Amino acid sequence: MNPVVIRGVAIGEGIPKICAPIVGRTEEEILKEAGAMHELPVDVVEWRADWYESVFEPERVLGILCGLRKILGELPLLFTFRTLKEGGEKEINTERYAELNRLAAESGYVDLIDVEAFTGEEVVRGLVETAHACSVKVIGSNHDFHGTPLREEIVNRLQNMQGLGVDIPKIAVMPKDKQDVLTLLSATEEMSRLYADRPIITMSMAGDGVISRICGEAFGSALTFGAAGQLSAPGQLGVKELRQVLEILHI
């Protein structure tokens, strides 16, 4: 597996990296959250733009991205608009979704963009091409809030994302019981061992799935999400506690 290296952070090498989301609704809240990141043990910062009240105004989005880059310095920045159908805050059509991600990739302020894999093959490949032309990496993602697919289906989805050219395939699923968590971990191990030539990110959400957010090094997930303040997904741990557990398991 070849790690993805961004601003000196090697995703897919060593201890799983920690990504902390920014989920402010106003410019003031967003930039304030960004300012606190330097005091926390985070490796990557994600701006969840779907939380931003003016996200459909391109000039204001660019202004936020510029502000984030200045504040974060050399901390890698991931741009994410999570759609409503995959657990996000706002509805958006495919054309506007693609435009927003192109805007972020071409801005010069972000290091990664998150592209939902089920947006459509043509759209995903186009965004990957645009991002790579701008030296921006792509996380291809899928979020299933309704349940946990079979192990074979999870592996298949991750392989399909890899085939679309994304740099880091990611899947998050909702467990209905502890067996579902084991299914996710088994799929992660299989994908990592047999098929992945790049880092992958997997997680099982909610309370039962918390274990999947801390054992990535053992099963093959290269990055985990922790809360710096408000949760952006069910089951997230605080970044400080998450770092402690990851380091203990690494030792």
Side-chain angles (χ1 to χ4, degrees):
M1 181 185 297
N2 300 311
V4 172
V5 182
I6 303 164
R7 297 183 184 268
V9 176
I11 301 171
E13 185 175 277
I15 298 177
K17 303 307 180 284
I18 296 176
C19 180
I22 291 174
V23 292
R25 298 193 181 277
T26 67
E27 179 175 355
E28 182 182 6
E29 291 173 353
I30 292 164
L31 299 182
K32 182 179 180 181
E33 287 184 42
M37 291 297 174
H38 292 289
E39 307 300 320
L40 298 171
V42 302
D43 302 295
V44 179
V45 176
E46 177 187 40
W47 180 30
R48 276 289 302 273
D50 53 296
W51 285 70
Y52 178 39
E53 62 186 12
S54 301
V55 69
F56 298 124
E57 299 178 39
E59 291 304 316
R60 299 190 70 172
V61 170
L62 284 174
I64 294 283
L65 289 173
C66 179
L68 288 172
R69 183 75 281 150
K70 289 178 181 177
I71 293 170
L72 295 175
E74 287 302 302
L75 272 175
L77 176 59
L78 163 63
F79 175 86
T80 299
F81 185 104
R82 182 67 60 237
T83 64
L84 192 63
K85 69 179 184 294
E86 296 216 12
E89 293 294 300
K90 293 180 177 65
E91 186 68 72
I92 190 172
N93 63 40
T94 301
E95 182 179 359
R96 180 169 277 187
Y97 177 80
E99 288 175 354
L100 195 55
N101 276 283
R102 280 194 293 269
L103 177 75
E106 293 171 351
S107 70
Y109 300 128
V110 309
D111 302 292
L112 309 100
I113 60 171
D114 179 296
V115 177
E116 292 176 358
F118 287 146
T119 304
E121 181 175 340
E122 184 178 348
V123 174
V124 173
R125 288 190 183 277
L127 288 173
V128 169
E129 182 178 349
T130 296
H132 287 173
C134 300
S135 299
V136 170
K137 303 297 185 183
V138 179
I139 294 177
S141 67
N142 173 228
H143 301 77
D144 193 332
F145 279 81
H146 301 293
T148 299
L150 296 175
R151 175 179 53 81
E152 294 83 357
E153 174 62 18
I154 294 173
V155 172
N156 184 57
R157 291 185 191 182
L158 291 167
Q159 285 184 282
N160 286 343
M161 291 183 217
Q162 192 166 265
L164 290 171
V166 308
D167 300 282
I168 307 175
K170 170 193 171 188
I171 190 167
V173 298
M174 184 64 73
K176 295 180 179 176
D177 51 37
K178 293 178 176 61
Q179 184 62 50
D180 280 350
V181 181
L182 293 176
T183 296
L184 182 278
L185 293 176
S186 177
T188 304
E189 188 279 331
E190 180 179 333
M191 178 68 188
S192 178
R193 176 170 51 88
L194 295 179
Y195 307 112
D197 59 3
R198 63 203 70 186
I200 63 172
I201 302 169
T202 69
M203 68 203 72
S204 185
M205 295 182 281
D208 280 343
V210 167
I211 186 68
S212 71
R213 295 180 180 274
I214 64 176
C215 63
E217 189 171 5
F219 289 88
S221 181
L223 183 145
T224 187
F225 290 77
Q230 186 171 348
L231 302 185
S232 66
Q236 285 180 355
L237 296 171
V239 293
K240 292 181 179 179
E241 293 78 10
L242 187 55
R243 175 68 73 187
Q244 290 176 336
V245 175
L246 291 175
E247 290 180 349
I248 289 169
L249 290 177
H250 177 71
I251 293 170

